[in-house]
Amino acid sequence: NRTLSLFASPWAPPAWMTETNSTTGNPKLSGVAGDETHQAWALYFSKFLTAYKEAGVDFWAVTAQNEPAGNTGAWQDLKFSAEEQRDFIKLDLGPRLEADHPDVQIMMLDDQRSHLPTWANTVLGDEEAAKYVDGVGVHWYAAVEDKRNLFGRLTETHDAFPDHFIMGTEACEGYLPWSQGPRLGDYTRGETYGHDILNDIENWAVGWTDWNIVLDMKGGPNWASNVVDAPIIADTDAGDTFYKQSMYYYLGHFSKFVPPGSKRIKVESQAPTLVAPMEATGFLTPDGSIVLVVLNRDLAGHKYYVDVPGRGFINMDVKAHSAATIVFNDAQ
C-alpha cells in the first residue's frame, strides 16, 4: 500500500544535439553550457516532466545524466566531464527546473562510486551549481567495486557535503561478459545484493535501486545485447511462469521491513578474535519499531545475540550464507 516513488534518468538526447550526430559511442553535447543546444536539452527534461504530470504521473527527482563518465558506448549515453556536468547544472538544467518544476530534485553523477569524491568536489564545491543539486547518485557494478571496498568514498563524500543525500541509482547482477545474463537459483547474486545494500546504507546512502524489476529468460529484451539478471525472471514463452531469484528475497529483507521515512541507527557488531563480526545495519521506522538486518556471508553457520537496550534481547542461530531481519516492535 505504499505510494510508488519515481525518479528519471536520461541516457541520450536526440542525435542532432551531439557532436557526432549519434546517440551511441559516448557522444558529447555540441557547444558549451549555456548555449542553445544545452538550453534545448534542459528543456527536454522539463517537457518530459510536464507530459508525465499531465498524465497523472509525478517524479520526485531526475539525475543530470546516466553514467556521464561514459560506458562501453554500445548503447545510448551522453558523456560529460565533472566540470561539464557542473556547468550544465549551473547554467541550464538547474535554472530550467527551478522555473518549471521547483519540487523536482536533481541528482548529480549517477555513475560509479569510484568517481567519488572527485565529482562531488567539482560540482558541489561550486556554490552556484550546488544550490540546484539535492543529491548524489551512484552505481554499484559490485562484482568489481565491492572487492575494492569503495564504500568509504560515500562516507567521505557525505562528510564533505552533509546537506546532500547519496542514493544508489542503478545496480544489477549478470552484467560481466564471463557471467552474463540470468542464472536461475544462483544464491551468491542475492548475497552480493545484500552486501552492497547494507554497506551503502552504512555509508550514508538513503536508498538503493535495482536496474530491472523483471526480465525474460535471456535477460532481456535489450536491443544492444546487454542482457543481465533480475530479481524476477519471466518465462515469456510459457506466458504464465516466472521465477523469484535470490535477489528478490535479499531486497525484501530491506524493502519489506524498512519503509520510507525510516532512520538509520548505530549498530555495533562484535565477535571473538579471529572471527569476523556479522554485517549489520539498523533502522528506527516511522511507527517506532527497530529493524535490524544481519548478513552472514561466512562458509559456516554462527550463533549470535542481539541486544536492543529498552526493547529486548534475542539469540540467533543462523546458517552459512544467510540473511536475517529482526524487528523489535515499539510495544516491546
Side-chain angles (χ1 to χ4, degrees):
N1 295 323
R2 296 180 191 169
T3 300
L4 190 62
S5 183
L6 300 173
F7 70 89
S9 180
W11 280 36
W16 64 264
M17 288 187 175
T18 70
E19 293 177 342
T20 56
N21 196 35
S22 175
T23 62
T24 59
N26 293 313
K28 287 194 169 191
L29 282 178
S30 299
V32 296
D35 70 6
E36 185 177 21
T37 301
H38 285 69
Q39 291 281 309
W41 181 225
L43 185 60
Y44 264 73
F45 283 72
S46 178
K47 289 188 173 184
F48 170 92
L49 293 167
T50 297
Y52 270 95
K53 191 173 188 64
E54 289 173 350
V57 179
D58 290 318
F59 290 83
W60 68 269
V62 296
T63 76
Q65 173 59 41
N66 173 69
E67 296 184 348
N71 52 41
T72 69
W75 50 83
Q76 283 85 357
D77 192 34
L78 183 64
K79 193 170 183 179
F80 289 85
S81 66
E83 292 77 12
E84 288 166 340
Q85 185 171 89
R86 174 198 64 200
D87 293 344
F88 173 61
I89 292 172
K90 177 168 60 176
L91 299 177
D92 305 293
L93 183 61
R96 171 56 63 187
L97 293 192
E98 183 179 61
D100 298 348
H101 299 280
D103 295 332
V104 175
Q105 300 183 43
I106 295 175
M107 287 183 272
M108 59 155 289
L109 188 57
D110 194 22
D111 211 327
Q112 317 310 321
R113 281 177 295 225
S114 55
H115 297 302
L116 292 176
T118 305
W119 276 60
N121 291 338
T122 298
V123 178
L124 301 181
D126 184 305
E127 291 184 0
E128 291 303 306
K131 70 181 182 181
Y132 296 116
V133 178
D134 299 279
V136 181
V138 293
H139 292 189
W140 82 327
Y141 296 99
V144 175
E145 283 199 341
D146 286 351
K147 289 176 172 57
R148 294 170 57 196
N149 193 15
L150 299 180
F151 295 116
R153 297 197 181 192
L154 303 187
T155 289
E156 189 176 350
T157 301
H158 166 80
D159 290 347
F161 305 101
D163 295 331
H164 294 78
F165 66 81
I166 299 171
M167 175 87 174
T169 49
E170 185 184 315
C172 71
E173 264 286 10
Y175 68 92
L176 292 169
W178 53 86
S179 60
Q180 196 166 15
R183 286 185 174 177
L184 295 182
D186 188 315
Y187 190 83
T188 60
R189 290 184 170 183
E191 187 172 74
T192 306
Y193 268 45
H195 174 67
D196 193 86
I197 296 168
L198 189 150
N199 283 279
D200 270 3
I201 289 169
E202 280 291 294
N203 287 276
W204 298 99
V206 302
W208 197 93
T209 310
D210 196 312
W211 189 25
N212 301 284
I213 296 174
V214 57
L215 294 172
D216 65 24
M217 296 289 284
K218 295 180 180 179
N222 187 291
W223 76 270
S225 299
N226 183 31
V227 295
V228 296
D229 210 340
I232 298 174
I233 297 297
D235 187 339
T236 53
D237 292 330
D240 59 355
T241 301
F242 64 92
Y243 303 89
K244 295 179 180 178
Q245 297 276 65
S246 62
M247 298 94 80
Y248 174 90
Y249 294 100
Y250 268 88
L251 282 167
H253 276 284
F254 297 89
S255 60
K256 184 175 180 178
F257 299 98
V258 185
S262 299
K263 297 183 182 297
R264 179 169 64 89
I265 58 177
K266 183 178 181 180
V267 175
E268 293 183 354
S269 184
Q270 301 174 344
T273 304
L274 302 181
V275 177
M278 298 289 101
E279 293 180 57
T281 190
F283 307 87
L284 178 65
T285 67
D287 69 1
S289 296
I290 288 178
V291 176
L292 185 72
V293 181
V294 184
L295 304 183
N296 176 26
R297 297 194 298 137
D298 204 344
L299 294 172
H302 288 288
K303 294 181 179 181
Y304 62 87
Y305 68 88
V306 177
D307 184 12
V308 179
R311 293 292 182 98
F313 179 97
I314 186 172
N315 288 305
M316 298 290 292
D317 188 353
V318 298
K319 295 181 179 180
H321 296 290
S322 64
T325 299
I326 304 160
V327 180
F328 292 84
N329 295 324
D330 186 34
Q332 294 175 314

